[in-house]
Amino acid sequence: IKIIVTSATIDTERFSEHFGGAPIIEVSGRTYPVEVRYRPYGPRDDDPDDDRDQVQAVVDAIDELAEEGRGDVLVFLSGEREIHDIAEVLRGRSRDRGEQLEVLPLYARLSAVEQHRIFEPHRSRRVVLSTNVAETSLTIPGVRAVVDAGLARVARFDPHRGIDTLLIEPISQASAEQRAGRAGRTG
């Protein structure tokens, strides 16, 4: 049996070593460098006066990116509720400021037609608010920046109750790198 594993972000050397020196075949694609910035929010030891919540922190990050130039933004959030909360704030601010900002949600329960809207051509600046559905094998045209809340809703089995539960958990470093790589695909 032959197994072929493809990935744009996997650590190929480490993967190969784990499987006894499996051969590595590289096919170069178009990737661009990605700068990673950390913007924690909420009360912390270094800034106990920071009272921003996730919504305000994401909006601040989008504003910071808008000052640096054009390009669409992909935002990773933990669920639909967070997506709708941030979409409402962004749309309201866009109207108030007279900006041309298109805000699109992306999560698994959306219809295929609504999900496909992210691939349609557009002229205005676009912000795609997504769950981890956009984390792998999805290249959204025009995305130049990723804002990552660092959380995901993860299915876990609860042996005491005998059911699966959806818990919001911090993402792994591998997921964070995978998400960041969504920005380096087309520019």
Side-chain angles (χ1 to χ4, degrees), residues 112-164:
V113 170
E114 290 173 314
Q115 288 183 19
H116 187 70
R117 287 182 56 207
I118 65 170
F119 299 109
E120 293 174 358
H122 61 286
R123 293 180 185 262
S124 61
R125 197 163 145 258
R126 181 180 276 177
V127 175
V128 177
L129 304 173
S130 177
T131 59
N132 56 353
V133 71
E135 187 172 313
T136 58
S137 40
L138 183 64
T139 299
I140 301 172
V143 169
R144 299 288 189 271
V146 171
V147 175
D148 188 351
L151 300 170
R153 197 170 297 271
V154 180
R156 297 280 184 227
F157 180 73
D158 182 348
H160 301 295
R161 296 191 299 184
I163 59 172
D164 281 332

Side-chain angles (χ1 to χ4, degrees), residues 18 30 52 115 167 175:
H18 180 77
R30 233 175 31 170
R52 294 176 306 152
Q115 288 183 19
L167 303 174
S175 287

Side-chain angles (χ1 to χ4, degrees), residues 13 63 165:
E13 295 297 328
D63 286 346
T165 58

Side-chain angles (χ1 to χ4, degrees), residues 5-168:
V5 177
T6 63
S7 173
T9 57
I10 196 168
D11 180 350
T12 54
E13 295 297 328
R14 190 169 158 203
F15 188 85
S16 175
E17 287 174 18
H18 180 77
F19 289 100
I24 299 171
I25 301 169
E26 285 191 40
V27 178
S28 61
R30 233 175 31 170
T31 58
Y32 298 85
V34 175
E35 175 189 352
V36 176
R37 304 175 192 169
Y38 295 96
R39 300 289 189 268
Y41 61 91
R44 303 177 311 280
D45 292 339
D46 64 326
D47 190 1
D49 297 328
D50 187 354
D51 62 350
R52 294 176 306 152
D53 62 358
Q54 182 184 46
V55 172
Q56 189 58 52
V58 168
V59 170
D60 289 349
I62 291 169
D63 286 346
E64 180 182 325
L65 292 166
E67 292 174 10
E68 296 179 14
R70 295 280 303 153
D72 297 340
V73 179
L74 173 60
V75 181
F76 283 101
L77 300 162
S78 58
E80 292 178 40
R81 179 175 171 218
E82 293 81 3
I83 288 172
H84 292 297
D85 290 347
I86 292 173
E88 183 179 324
V89 170
L90 289 173
R91 287 180 182 130
R93 284 170 30 108
S94 178
R95 271 190 310 272
D96 294 345
R97 295 179 177 182
E99 294 175 332
Q100 293 276 336
L101 180 68
E102 185 179 8
V103 180
L104 295 176
L106 179 63
Y107 49 88
R109 284 185 353 140
L110 281 176
S111 70
V113 170
E114 290 173 314
Q115 288 183 19
H116 187 70
R117 287 182 56 207
I118 65 170
F119 299 109
E120 293 174 358
H122 61 286
R123 293 180 185 262
S124 61
R125 197 163 145 258
R126 181 180 276 177
V127 175
V128 177
L129 304 173
S130 177
T131 59
N132 56 353
V133 71
E135 187 172 313
T136 58
S137 40
L138 183 64
T139 299
I140 301 172
V143 169
R144 299 288 189 271
V146 171
V147 175
D148 188 351
L151 300 170
R153 197 170 297 271
V154 180
R156 297 280 184 227
F157 180 73
D158 182 348
H160 301 295
R161 296 191 299 184
I163 59 172
D164 281 332
T165 58
L166 286 173
L167 303 174
I168 296 176

